[in-house]
């Protein structure tokens, strides 16, 4: 294996070793380093995957491996906790994990990276190389996700009652140039869409090819999931609107009144979904809509504005952190040779 490659794949997993038994083997024959970034709370993932892994390009990276990297970076005098959390933490941590994946990729000397969720099937491995080639003239390249796309509960209900949910490039299978990264991920649902929108219009985004997502029950724990997802739905709706407005000012996302309009727009959509759900006798649609309308009665617009006040304050530190990693000549930290100690 060529350990000095400047391109690599990072696959994200959290407490789903059964998925990896289906998806990891497809990467064995790809002539690129594949980092399995394990954010699992339980300890089963490494044990289960190790039993069947005979590929020479798969490298495990969990809590212990992360600590080695972060200890080396602690000398940079940045508040890393603003952007990352310890792998294996409880709760929703995907935004933090994606930030760490960017840091890790730069530390390992990658120039281009492919982010991949652990439930993605690649029907033709040549797609990986083709996406990296497209990065010669693009900043971000994402494949269309077929099968069971990772939509929100509300989006699936919309389809159920005859409405078409908004679709954008997915972070589930996304290649990009690391030098194009200027933003960091917020740790809320829709973190990938928010991140990509915040890079526009300066960045060139391309959609190319198709991958397949493993099936799942989109309505399992529907109310609980919808309530968790809805705050991220509000955020992405606002950022999307911000990008669409001509002569926009950065202060728009910091404006409580702007978010009041976004919240009202989203609440009206939920009312429409509830009406159509009643008309179509969709009990799940009615139930979820009722809970979300109750949620909207108490949403704090000022809290949302404060998220972006904090976001812009921290963004300059994020940019400096990435620049410092470049300045450190990353091989002096750990370099790609450290991957040898991470192999499953």
């Amino acid at each position: 294996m060529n350990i000095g490659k400047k391109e690599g794949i990072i696959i994200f997993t959290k407490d789903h070793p059964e998925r990896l038994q289906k998806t990891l083997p497809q990467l064995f024959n790809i002539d690129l380093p594949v980092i399995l970034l394990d954010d699992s709370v339980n300890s089963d993932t490494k044990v289960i995957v190790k039993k069947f892994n005979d590929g020479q390009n798969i490298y495990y990276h969990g809590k212990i491996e992360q600590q080695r990297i972060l200890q080396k970076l602690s000398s940079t005098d940045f508040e890393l906790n603003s952007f990352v959390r310890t792998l294996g933490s409880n709760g929703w941590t995907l935004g933090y994990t994606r930030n760490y994946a960017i840091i890790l990729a730069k530390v390992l000397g990658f120039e281009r990276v492919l982010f991949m969720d652990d439930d993605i099937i690649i029907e033709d491995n040549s797609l990986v190389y083709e996406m990296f080639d497209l990065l010669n003239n693009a900043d971000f390249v994402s494949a269309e996700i077929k099968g069971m796309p990772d939509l929100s509960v509300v989006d699936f209900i919309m389809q159920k009652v005859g409405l078409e949910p908004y679709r954008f490039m997915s972070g589930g299978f996304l290649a990009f140039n690391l030098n194009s990264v200027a933003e960091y991920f917020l740790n809320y649902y829709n973190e990938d869409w928010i991140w990509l929108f915040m890079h526009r219009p300066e960045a060139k985004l391309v959609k190319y090819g198709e991958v397949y997502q493993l099936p799942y029950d989109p309505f399992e724990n529907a109310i609980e999931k919808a309530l968790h997802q809805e705050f991220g739905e509000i955020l992405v709706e606002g950022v999307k609107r911000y990008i669409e407005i001509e002569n926009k000012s950065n202060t728009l996302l910091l404006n409580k009144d702007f978010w009041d309009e976004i919240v009202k727009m989203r609440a009206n959509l939920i009312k429409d979904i509830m009406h159509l759900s009643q008309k179509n006798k969709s009990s799940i649609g009615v139930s979820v809509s009722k809970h979300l309308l109750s949620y909207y009665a108490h949403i704090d617009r000022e809290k949302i504005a404060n998220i972006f006040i904090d976001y812009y304050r921290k963004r300059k530190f994020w940019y400096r952190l990435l620049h410092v990693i470049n300045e450190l000549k990353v091989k002096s930290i750990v370099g790609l040779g450290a991957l040898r100690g991470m192999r499953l």
Side-chain angles (χ1 to χ4, degrees):
M1 173 188 167
N2 182 359
I3 202 70
K5 285 189 177 295
K6 296 299 184 181
E7 296 167 346
I9 300 171
I10 297 181
I11 183 168
F12 297 84
T13 191
K14 185 162 187 164
D15 298 322
H16 287 291
E18 75 288 350
R19 294 179 182 174
L20 294 171
Q21 297 186 53
K22 298 177 181 178
T23 59
L24 264 189
Q26 69 186 328
L27 302 173
F28 290 166
N29 296 323
I30 291 180
D31 186 28
L32 292 169
V34 178
I35 316 298
L36 177 62
L37 194 55
D38 184 15
D39 191 27
S40 300
V41 176
N42 63 53
S43 59
D44 296 338
T45 301
K46 186 174 184 179
V47 174
I48 292 177
V49 174
K50 190 174 182 179
K51 289 180 180 178
F52 76 93
N53 174 49
D54 57 1
Q56 297 302 304
N57 64 329
I58 310 291
Y59 302 90
Y60 180 84
H61 196 91
K63 181 178 180 179
I64 295 174
E65 292 77 14
Q66 182 196 39
Q67 288 175 344
R68 295 173 188 163
I69 301 293
L70 295 183
Q71 284 172 1
K72 295 290 185 179
L73 288 176
S74 62
S75 62
T76 60
D77 197 31
F78 284 97
E79 295 183 13
L80 292 172
N81 283 341
S82 295
F83 309 110
V84 304
R85 290 291 184 273
T86 301
L87 292 173
S89 298
N90 287 302
W92 180 267
T93 54
L94 186 53
Y96 293 127
T97 306
R98 291 195 188 278
N99 287 333
Y100 176 68
I102 291 173
I103 292 171
L104 177 62
K106 290 184 73 69
V107 165
L108 294 175
F110 294 156
E111 295 175 357
R112 299 171 176 179
V113 67
L114 171 66
F115 278 8
M116 175 179 168
D117 288 350
D118 63 3
D119 55 354
I120 296 294
I121 299 293
I122 310 169
E123 297 183 342
D124 183 352
N125 285 349
S126 64
L127 174 64
V128 174
Y129 303 107
E130 290 166 0
M131 289 177 68
F132 278 127
D133 285 342
L134 285 169
L135 289 175
N136 290 323
N137 297 299
D139 297 293
F140 303 87
V141 181
S142 175
E144 181 75 21
I145 296 182
K146 300 294 185 180
M148 180 67 77
D150 191 18
L151 300 176
S152 69
V153 171
V154 169
D155 286 340
F156 278 110
I157 292 173
M158 288 176 68
Q159 289 183 330
K160 196 177 180 68
V161 299
L163 297 175
E164 186 64 33
Y166 179 78
R167 301 289 296 274
F168 187 52
M169 294 173 61
S170 172
F173 199 80
L174 175 71
F176 56 93
N177 285 302
L178 282 157
N179 286 337
S180 298
V181 174
E183 312 290 340
Y184 67 93
F185 289 93
L186 288 172
N187 191 51
Y188 297 99
Y189 179 76
N190 280 333
E191 81 295 328
D192 53 344
W193 283 14
I194 296 168
W195 186 70
L196 285 167
F197 273 129
M198 293 299 287
H199 279 92
R200 295 175 72 186
E202 292 80 6
K204 183 177 180 181
L205 281 60
V206 174
K207 187 176 284 189
Y208 178 81
E210 297 178 354
V211 292
Y212 176 85
Q213 185 163 346
L214 295 174
Y216 62 95
D217 181 0
F219 299 120
E220 182 180 3
N221 301 320
I223 294 172
E224 179 183 349
K225 279 173 41 177
L227 288 171
H228 160 73
Q229 293 168 345
E230 194 60 23
F231 193 76
E233 298 279 55
I234 295 169
L235 295 183
V236 81
E237 191 66 42
V239 172
K240 175 172 161 291
R241 177 63 179 151
Y242 158 72
I243 295 299
E244 292 170 345
I245 295 175
E246 294 185 3
N247 301 318
K248 59 184 178 292
S249 165
N250 287 347
T251 60
L252 197 61
L253 293 175
L254 319 182
N255 190 312
K256 179 182 174 182
D257 292 337
F258 169 77
W259 287 106
D260 185 55
E261 292 179 13
I262 298 299
V263 167
K264 288 177 180 176
M265 287 171 53
R266 185 71 187 177
N268 286 334
L269 172 64
I270 301 301
K271 290 176 183 177
D272 291 341
I273 292 172
M274 183 170 182
H275 174 74
L276 289 170
S277 296
Q278 292 169 334
K279 184 177 179 180
N280 288 270
K281 299 181 179 179
S282 170
S283 59
I284 188 70
V286 172
S287 181
V288 167
S289 298
K290 283 183 177 179
H291 281 83
L292 288 179
L293 288 175
S294 177
Y295 168 81
Y296 271 102
H298 305 285
I299 193 75
D300 186 347
R301 282 76 161 167
E302 188 170 353
K303 175 185 175 181
I304 307 174
N306 286 336
I307 286 172
F308 285 92
I309 292 172
D310 190 55
Y311 177 85
Y312 282 115
R313 181 181 66 83
K314 290 178 179 176
R315 186 172 65 171
K316 60 183 179 182
F317 296 111
W318 170 252
Y319 190 79
R320 282 177 53 205
L321 171 61
L322 299 184
H323 181 71
V324 165
I325 293 175
N326 287 337
E327 292 274 308
L328 287 173
K329 305 299 182 186
V330 294
K331 288 189 178 181
S332 67
I333 302 180
V334 289
L336 282 172
L339 286 175
R340 294 188 180 95
M342 301 177 194
R343 185 174 282 125
L344 283 164

